Amino acid sequence: MSSHTTPAGPAGGPRPGQRRLVRELLLVAGLFTVYKGGRMLSTDRTDEAFRNATRIWHLERTLHLPGEGAVQRLLLPGAGSGSGGAGAGDLLVHTANTYYAAVHFPATVLFLIWLYLRRPGHYLWARRVLAVLTGAALALHLAFPLAPPRMLDAAHLVDTAKVYGPSVYRAAPAADTMANQFAAMPSLHFGWALVLALGAIAATRSRWRVLWLLHPLLTLLVVVGTANHYWLDAIVATVLLAGALLVVPGPRLRSASLPVVRHLPRPRNSAGAAEVTGAGAERGAVGAERGAAGVGR
């Protein structure tokens, strides 16, 4: 009696591409988990966070930066009514709150997936830049807890998410187990959006690719207009990103994506062959002249 045994091999297990994808997903998820867990360490530093908020507010005024309220007033045409819920006149601010809550993380994930599938060299570069930027942001969150402008009385700003919805934060920052509301500086909403835009511009060749910069620009207006971040939060995020770009090497392209030009080796006696050919042609011309002269006689 004979038995047939299927040999174990690549066909019997996950393919190398699938293993790489699983590994990348676990790596990105692990980095995000470490970041989310690490930033929660400063949730109970309330007094320090508000002192830092006062310092940042006065520093912005010293630097003559535009007030965050100027952007918020563009979103709140009916803010004086003070009514909760999103009505017809509150559509703009409700859209801004939704953008803040729902676009930041999914857009970054979809961007990484697209790079992984279509631009592997750019994917590794973007992942490393995001990791360095996020690590630097975590260190700053722990060293410099900062209450957002929506919590600062001196700013006189509206907590748009609380009033108009939707909101991703709980009313009491100390009771919020899902997010650290005192991690305003730097703004990773803006930092990640800027990485996405720069990565998309570098990985594509369309003449319209510069329009990707509208994403960080819109993100900046949203995070400031909803009073979740100061202008300096975005400025510091930009500085940290510049440092990450200096540390992380540029994207490495696959050789298959580049045209391959093959040069045939030049014969070592090519010069001599040219001389022989030229000499033969010259002797042929002389012989022709002599033959013509003989016929003429």
Side-chain angles (χ1 to χ4, degrees):
M1 181 177 179
S2 62
S3 61
H4 177 72
T5 304
T6 302
R15 297 178 180 178
Q18 294 174 338
R19 290 196 296 267
R20 287 196 299 269
L21 177 58
V22 172
R23 182 186 62 195
E24 290 297 329
L25 290 175
L26 292 176
L27 177 59
V28 172
L31 291 174
F32 182 73
T33 301
V34 170
Y35 166 73
K36 291 290 287 185
R39 62 184 284 178
M40 296 302 295
L41 297 177
S42 61
T43 55
D44 57 346
R45 299 162 65 182
T46 304
D47 293 339
E48 184 179 359
F50 277 95
R51 286 196 299 269
N52 290 335
T54 302
R55 296 188 184 103
I56 291 297
W57 181 259
H58 290 306
L59 177 60
E60 286 190 342
R61 308 291 78 79
T62 301
L63 296 175
H64 300 289
L65 293 178
E68 287 78 0
V71 179
Q72 186 172 89
R73 283 191 291 273
L74 298 176
L75 301 178
L76 303 177
S81 61
S83 59
D90 307 329
L91 178 61
L92 188 58
V93 64
H94 185 76
T95 302
N97 291 332
T98 304
Y99 190 95
Y100 179 86
V103 174
H104 166 58
F105 188 71
T108 306
V109 171
L110 291 176
F111 167 67
L112 289 175
I113 292 174
W114 177 79
L115 286 182
Y116 180 85
L117 296 176
R118 303 297 298 273
R119 302 289 190 273
H122 288 85
Y123 165 77
L124 292 175
W125 170 80
R127 188 197 68 187
R128 291 165 181 165
V129 169
L130 282 172
V132 173
L133 172 62
T134 305
L138 175 59
L140 189 53
H141 290 161
L142 297 177
F144 192 78
L146 179 66
R150 57 186 167 83
M151 296 183 183
L152 188 63
D153 292 337
H156 302 291
L157 296 174
V158 177
D159 188 342
T160 60
K162 181 180 178 181
V163 175
Y164 300 96
S167 177
V168 295
Y169 301 120
R170 293 189 178 182
D176 198 337
T177 59
M178 299 299 296
N180 180 5
Q181 299 190 44
F182 296 146
M185 179 178 287
S187 169
L188 281 184
H189 272 73
F190 178 75
W192 285 14
L194 192 54
V195 172
L196 190 156
L198 296 179
I201 290 173
T204 57
R205 295 184 178 182
S206 170
R207 61 178 179 176
W208 302 104
R209 63 187 184 274
V210 70
L211 294 178
W212 281 106
L213 291 174
L214 292 176
H215 175 49
L217 176 60
L218 181 59
T219 300
L220 176 61
L221 296 178
V222 165
V223 299
V224 171
T226 57
N228 282 292
H229 287 283
Y230 306 89
W231 294 110
L232 281 176
D233 296 339
I235 294 174
V236 171
T238 304
V239 172
L240 293 180
L241 175 56
L245 293 176
L246 292 176
V247 172
V248 178
R252 299 179 61 182
L253 305 179
R254 294 181 300 178
S255 58
S257 63
L258 299 177
V260 178
V261 181
R262 299 183 181 275
H263 298 280
L264 296 176
R266 183 179 180 182
R268 286 179 293 179
N269 59 345
S270 58
E275 292 179 1
V276 172
T277 302
E282 185 177 353
R283 286 197 296 269
V286 173
E289 290 179 0
R290 289 176 179 177
V295 173
R297 291 193 190 98

